Amino acid sequence: MLTDREVLSTLAMLRNEHLDVRTVTLGVSLFDCASDNFDTFADKVRTKIGKYAEKLVATCDEVGDKYGIPVVNKRISVSPMGVVCASFSPEQMVKACQVLDESAKAAGVNFLGGFGALVEKGMTRGDRALIDALPEALAVTDCVCSSINVASSRSGINMDAVALMGETIKAIANRTADRDGLGCAKLVVFANIPQDVPFMAGAYLGVGEPEVVINVGVSGPGVVKKAIDRAMERNPNRTLSDIAEVIKRTAFKVTRVGEIIGTEVAARLGLPFGVADLSLAPTPEVGDSVGEIFQSMGLSSIGAPGSTAVLAMLNDAVKKGGAFASSHVGGLSGAFIPVSEDSSIAAAAASGALTLEKLEAMTSVCSVGLDMVAIPGDTSAATISGIIADEMAIGMINSKTTAVRIIPVPGKGVGDLVSFGGLLGEARIMPVPGGNAENFIRLGGRIPAPIHSLKN
């Protein structure tokens, strides 16, 4: 049972330290909406999402008001549309994306995820049609997000898909050039994507998931930072072991808050509760930054030597504390390091303290990967594919989720400021390592899955 002191500290988190429930995500399976007739498909999708999402926003607000804990984002995830719409052409895929966009707006949510495909071992006709449709689909819609899984530890890396995604990301950036390539911010390329992610842009509802489900994503980087600061003020001689314990106890309280909100929302909607995702997700607001935690632990900024070690410890402590607080943990669960969405990380990247190479190293121990990284608009498709391949290799070999959400900003170069607005934030464009990957990417095929019996 929580002590009086712990209850008071939780109240302080709510009032002063940006504690909130980052997202409640309604997962809706659309497999039963599949049809080779587009109008039939569209009607079924609108009806089903409308039926289950009708009261989502109002219910989240009611529960949030009851506990005094805001639910910042209400979202929807759906089945991978590369499977649901397998018989559609690229033009019909664009229309399908617009149907999802209309449904999301009707429900009042800010994002809908699942316009994606799983192609780690090969690509069906539907998967290819969806990827071909992405530049237009993400340009003409506002709320829809996409994820493409191109690698897994069991299947290896589909290098044909990696090559295609490099070209596709360039095409999306050019199609949304008037918005600094904003379409790329709604697309993630994954290795080992989980089926129950509540966070965008990677959210989708996998094949093994229920018909409808409520997943919740908690956050709280500001809370963790303040807890470390308070502990160090009380005793400046604390060791890293002591700080790990502080993070664990804080993660427990944050996760418990999220699970209470998620289970009550699910109960009021008459739906099953799925998982709590324990991720530390920052916002551009000062005081709600993962990067500031690195400074509280003694580094000059994120990116300084020691950053990978700090991130590994932070990630592990968050998982340990959160796992004890929730009966069902899922999603990505760890620390996010999205450059433009975190003011401290964006500042470190702008000053040169944090490079793309260091970010890549850090992704070997964090939850996701290269996230919201703006790069020069003249970066070649082969270079982008090379960056994706490197990140997928980290995920494949280490049996963890990794991802790339990268934005080649048309017409802009290193050091230029790019602003995406809202939670997507702003950042300076980072330099890309030199060299040429074109001949390597052109080889195509599939990098075989690793043999884990000889792992060391």
Side-chain angles (χ1 to χ4, degrees), residues 132-151:
D132 288 344
L134 280 175
E136 182 69 12
L138 295 182
V140 299
T141 57
D142 299 312
C143 304
V144 177
C145 293
S146 177
S147 58
I148 308 295
N149 194 75
V150 301

PDB file of all heavy atoms in Angstrom, residues 132-151:
ATOM      1  N   ASP A 132       3.171   1.845 -52.433  1.00  0.00           N
ATOM      2  CA  ASP A 132       3.126   2.746 -53.591  1.00  0.00           C
ATOM      3  C   ASP A 132       2.170   3.918 -53.359  1.00  0.00           C
ATOM      4  O   ASP A 132       2.349   5.007 -53.920  1.00  0.00           O
ATOM      5  CB  ASP A 132       2.705   1.974 -54.842  1.00  0.00           C
ATOM      6  CG  ASP A 132       3.800   1.043 -55.348  1.00  0.00           C
ATOM      7  OD1 ASP A 132       4.962   1.224 -54.920  1.00  0.00           O
ATOM      8  OD2 ASP A 132       3.496   0.141 -56.152  1.00  0.00           O
ATOM      9  N   ALA A 133       1.141   3.687 -52.546  1.00  0.00           N
ATOM     10  CA  ALA A 133       0.137   4.724 -52.296  1.00  0.00           C
ATOM     11  C   ALA A 133       0.573   5.727 -51.236  1.00  0.00           C
ATOM     12  O   ALA A 133      -0.029   6.805 -51.109  1.00  0.00           O
ATOM     13  CB  ALA A 133      -1.180   4.070 -51.852  1.00  0.00           C
ATOM     14  N   LEU A 134       1.616   5.403 -50.461  1.00  0.00           N
ATOM     15  CA  LEU A 134       1.959   6.220 -49.289  1.00  0.00           C
ATOM     16  C   LEU A 134       2.196   7.705 -49.590  1.00  0.00           C
ATOM     17  O   LEU A 134       1.675   8.571 -48.867  1.00  0.00           O
ATOM     18  CB  LEU A 134       3.176   5.626 -48.570  1.00  0.00           C
ATOM     19  CG  LEU A 134       2.891   4.429 -47.654  1.00  0.00           C
ATOM     20  CD1 LEU A 134       4.194   3.859 -47.104  1.00  0.00           C
ATOM     21  CD2 LEU A 134       1.970   4.823 -46.500  1.00  0.00           C
ATOM     22  N   PRO A 135       2.978   8.069 -50.625  1.00  0.00           N
ATOM     23  CA  PRO A 135       3.211   9.513 -50.843  1.00  0.00           C
ATOM     24  C   PRO A 135       1.915  10.303 -51.001  1.00  0.00           C
ATOM     25  O   PRO A 135       1.750  11.369 -50.392  1.00  0.00           O
ATOM     26  CB  PRO A 135       4.059   9.522 -52.128  1.00  0.00           C
ATOM     27  CG  PRO A 135       4.762   8.209 -52.118  1.00  0.00           C
ATOM     28  CD  PRO A 135       3.764   7.237 -51.560  1.00  0.00           C
ATOM     29  N   GLU A 136       0.995   9.802 -51.798  1.00  0.00           N
ATOM     30  CA  GLU A 136      -0.262  10.508 -51.997  1.00  0.00           C
ATOM     31  C   GLU A 136      -1.161  10.386 -50.758  1.00  0.00           C
ATOM     32  O   GLU A 136      -1.781  11.374 -50.327  1.00  0.00           O
ATOM     33  CB  GLU A 136      -0.984   9.940 -53.231  1.00  0.00           C
ATOM     34  CG  GLU A 136      -2.288  10.634 -53.579  1.00  0.00           C
ATOM     35  CD  GLU A 136      -2.060  12.060 -54.084  1.00  0.00           C
ATOM     36  OE1 GLU A 136      -0.905  12.418 -54.374  1.00  0.00           O
ATOM     37  OE2 GLU A 136      -3.061  12.810 -54.163  1.00  0.00           O
ATOM     38  N   ALA A 137      -1.227   9.188 -50.194  1.00  0.00           N
ATOM     39  CA  ALA A 137      -2.132   8.950 -49.060  1.00  0.00           C
ATOM     40  C   ALA A 137      -1.767   9.832 -47.856  1.00  0.00           C
ATOM     41  O   ALA A 137      -2.650  10.407 -47.210  1.00  0.00           O
ATOM     42  CB  ALA A 137      -2.086   7.479 -48.666  1.00  0.00           C
ATOM     43  N   LEU A 138      -0.466   9.934 -47.533  1.00  0.00           N
ATOM     44  CA  LEU A 138      -0.068  10.727 -46.374  1.00  0.00           C
ATOM     45  C   LEU A 138      -0.121  12.223 -46.662  1.00  0.00           C
ATOM     46  O   LEU A 138      -0.164  13.033 -45.732  1.00  0.00           O
ATOM     47  CB  LEU A 138       1.344  10.322 -45.920  1.00  0.00           C
ATOM     48  CG  LEU A 138       1.474   8.883 -45.402  1.00  0.00           C
ATOM     49  CD1 LEU A 138       2.890   8.601 -44.926  1.00  0.00           C
ATOM     50  CD2 LEU A 138       0.470   8.584 -44.288  1.00  0.00           C
ATOM     51  N   ALA A 139      -0.133  12.584 -47.950  1.00  0.00           N
ATOM     52  CA  ALA A 139      -0.226  14.003 -48.305  1.00  0.00           C
ATOM     53  C   ALA A 139      -1.662  14.517 -48.239  1.00  0.00           C
ATOM     54  O   ALA A 139      -1.879  15.689 -47.897  1.00  0.00           O
ATOM     55  CB  ALA A 139       0.343  14.225 -49.708  1.00  0.00           C
ATOM     56  N   VAL A 140      -2.632  13.681 -48.559  1.00  0.00           N
ATOM     57  CA  VAL A 140      -4.018  14.154 -48.641  1.00  0.00           C
ATOM     58  C   VAL A 140      -4.824  13.851 -47.378  1.00  0.00           C
ATOM     59  O   VAL A 140      -6.022  14.124 -47.337  1.00  0.00           O
ATOM     60  CB  VAL A 140      -4.728  13.540 -49.874  1.00  0.00           C
ATOM     61  CG1 VAL A 140      -4.023  13.943 -51.153  1.00  0.00           C
ATOM     62  CG2 VAL A 140      -4.834  12.018 -49.766  1.00  0.00           C
ATOM     63  N   THR A 141      -4.178  13.264 -46.371  1.00  0.00           N
ATOM     64  CA  THR A 141      -4.868  13.002 -45.111  1.00  0.00           C
ATOM     65  C   THR A 141      -4.146  13.722 -43.973  1.00  0.00           C
ATOM     66  O   THR A 141      -2.983  14.102 -44.101  1.00  0.00           O
ATOM     67  CB  THR A 141      -4.936  11.494 -44.808  1.00  0.00           C
ATOM     68  OG1 THR A 141      -3.595  10.965 -44.776  1.00  0.00           O
ATOM     69  CG2 THR A 141      -5.736  10.760 -45.872  1.00  0.00           C
ATOM     70  N   ASP A 142      -4.845  13.880 -42.858  1.00  0.00           N
ATOM     71  CA  ASP A 142      -4.274  14.607 -41.716  1.00  0.00           C
ATOM     72  C   ASP A 142      -3.965  13.709 -40.528  1.00  0.00           C
ATOM     73  O   ASP A 142      -2.991  13.934 -39.809  1.00  0.00           O
ATOM     74  CB  ASP A 142      -5.261  15.689 -41.256  1.00  0.00           C
ATOM     75  CG  ASP A 142      -5.548  16.697 -42.345  1.00  0.00           C
ATOM     76  OD1 ASP A 142      -4.585  17.190 -42.963  1.00  0.00           O
ATOM     77  OD2 ASP A 142      -6.744  16.982 -42.590  1.00  0.00           O
ATOM     78  N   CYS A 143      -4.804  12.704 -40.289  1.00  0.00           N
ATOM     79  CA  CYS A 143      -4.736  11.961 -39.032  1.00  0.00           C
ATOM     80  C   CYS A 143      -4.116  10.576 -39.159  1.00  0.00           C
ATOM     81  O   CYS A 143      -3.798   9.945 -38.146  1.00  0.00           O
ATOM     82  CB  CYS A 143      -6.145  11.781 -38.454  1.00  0.00           C
ATOM     83  SG  CYS A 143      -7.036  13.321 -38.195  1.00  0.00           S
ATOM     84  N   VAL A 144      -3.958  10.079 -40.369  1.00  0.00           N
ATOM     85  CA  VAL A 144      -3.562   8.684 -40.549  1.00  0.00           C
ATOM     86  C   VAL A 144      -2.045   8.529 -40.487  1.00  0.00           C
ATOM     87  O   VAL A 144      -1.304   9.306 -41.099  1.00  0.00           O
ATOM     88  CB  VAL A 144      -4.080   8.130 -41.883  1.00  0.00           C
ATOM     89  CG1 VAL A 144      -3.602   6.689 -42.084  1.00  0.00           C
ATOM     90  CG2 VAL A 144      -5.595   8.183 -41.907  1.00  0.00           C
ATOM     91  N   CYS A 145      -1.593   7.509 -39.730  1.00  0.00           N
ATOM     92  CA  CYS A 145      -0.175   7.193 -39.618  1.00  0.00           C
ATOM     93  C   CYS A 145       0.098   5.801 -40.180  1.00  0.00           C
ATOM     94  O   CYS A 145      -0.784   4.940 -40.204  1.00  0.00           O
ATOM     95  CB  CYS A 145       0.271   7.229 -38.155  1.00  0.00           C
ATOM     96  SG  CYS A 145       0.209   8.873 -37.426  1.00  0.00           S
ATOM     97  N   SER A 146       1.332   5.611 -40.605  1.00  0.00           N
ATOM     98  CA  SER A 146       1.696   4.358 -41.267  1.00  0.00           C
ATOM     99  C   SER A 146       2.937   3.760 -40.634  1.00  0.00           C
ATOM    100  O   SER A 146       3.823   4.482 -40.165  1.00  0.00           O
ATOM    101  CB  SER A 146       1.961   4.629 -42.756  1.00  0.00           C
ATOM    102  OG  SER A 146       2.382   3.440 -43.405  1.00  0.00           O
ATOM    103  N   SER A 147       2.995   2.439 -40.617  1.00  0.00           N
ATOM    104  CA  SER A 147       4.206   1.736 -40.181  1.00  0.00           C
ATOM    105  C   SER A 147       4.441   0.556 -41.113  1.00  0.00           C
ATOM    106  O   SER A 147       3.505  -0.159 -41.464  1.00  0.00           O
ATOM    107  CB  SER A 147       4.061   1.253 -38.734  1.00  0.00           C
ATOM    108  OG  SER A 147       2.935   0.409 -38.586  1.00  0.00           O
ATOM    109  N   ILE A 148       5.694   0.383 -41.500  1.00  0.00           N
ATOM    110  CA  ILE A 148       6.074  -0.728 -42.376  1.00  0.00           C
ATOM    111  C   ILE A 148       7.150  -1.531 -41.666  1.00  0.00           C
ATOM    112  O   ILE A 148       8.235  -1.013 -41.371  1.00  0.00           O
ATOM    113  CB  ILE A 148       6.623  -0.220 -43.739  1.00  0.00           C
ATOM    114  CG1 ILE A 148       5.648   0.784 -44.381  1.00  0.00           C
ATOM    115  CG2 ILE A 148       6.882  -1.402 -44.666  1.00  0.00           C
ATOM    116  CD1 ILE A 148       4.307   0.211 -44.790  1.00  0.00           C
ATOM    117  N   ASN A 149       6.861  -2.800 -41.358  1.00  0.00           N
ATOM    118  CA  ASN A 149       7.841  -3.656 -40.701  1.00  0.00           C
ATOM    119  C   ASN A 149       8.652  -4.399 -41.761  1.00  0.00           C
ATOM    120  O   ASN A 149       8.110  -5.223 -42.491  1.00  0.00           O
ATOM    121  CB  ASN A 149       7.135  -4.658 -39.776  1.00  0.00           C
ATOM    122  CG  ASN A 149       8.102  -5.324 -38.829  1.00  0.00           C
ATOM    123  OD1 ASN A 149       8.553  -4.706 -37.868  1.00  0.00           O
ATOM    124  ND2 ASN A 149       8.456  -6.576 -39.096  1.00  0.00           N
ATOM    125  N   VAL A 150       9.944  -4.089 -41.850  1.00  0.00           N
ATOM    126  CA  VAL A 150      10.776  -4.655 -42.922  1.00  0.00           C
ATOM    127  C   VAL A 150      11.787  -5.671 -42.407  1.00  0.00           C
ATOM    128  O   VAL A 150      12.560  -6.216 -43.208  1.00  0.00           O
ATOM    129  CB  VAL A 150      11.519  -3.540 -43.685  1.00  0.00           C
ATOM    130  CG1 VAL A 150      10.544  -2.553 -44.290  1.00  0.00           C
ATOM    131  CG2 VAL A 150      12.517  -2.821 -42.779  1.00  0.00           C
ATOM    132  N   ALA A 151      11.794  -5.934 -41.096  1.00  0.00           N
ATOM    133  CA  ALA A 151      12.790  -6.866 -40.557  1.00  0.00           C
ATOM    134  C   ALA A 151      12.303  -7.486 -39.264  1.00  0.00           C
ATOM    135  O   ALA A 151      11.484  -6.906 -38.555  1.00  0.00           O
ATOM    136  CB  ALA A 151      14.109  -6.124 -40.299  1.00  0.00           C
TER     137      ALA A 151
END
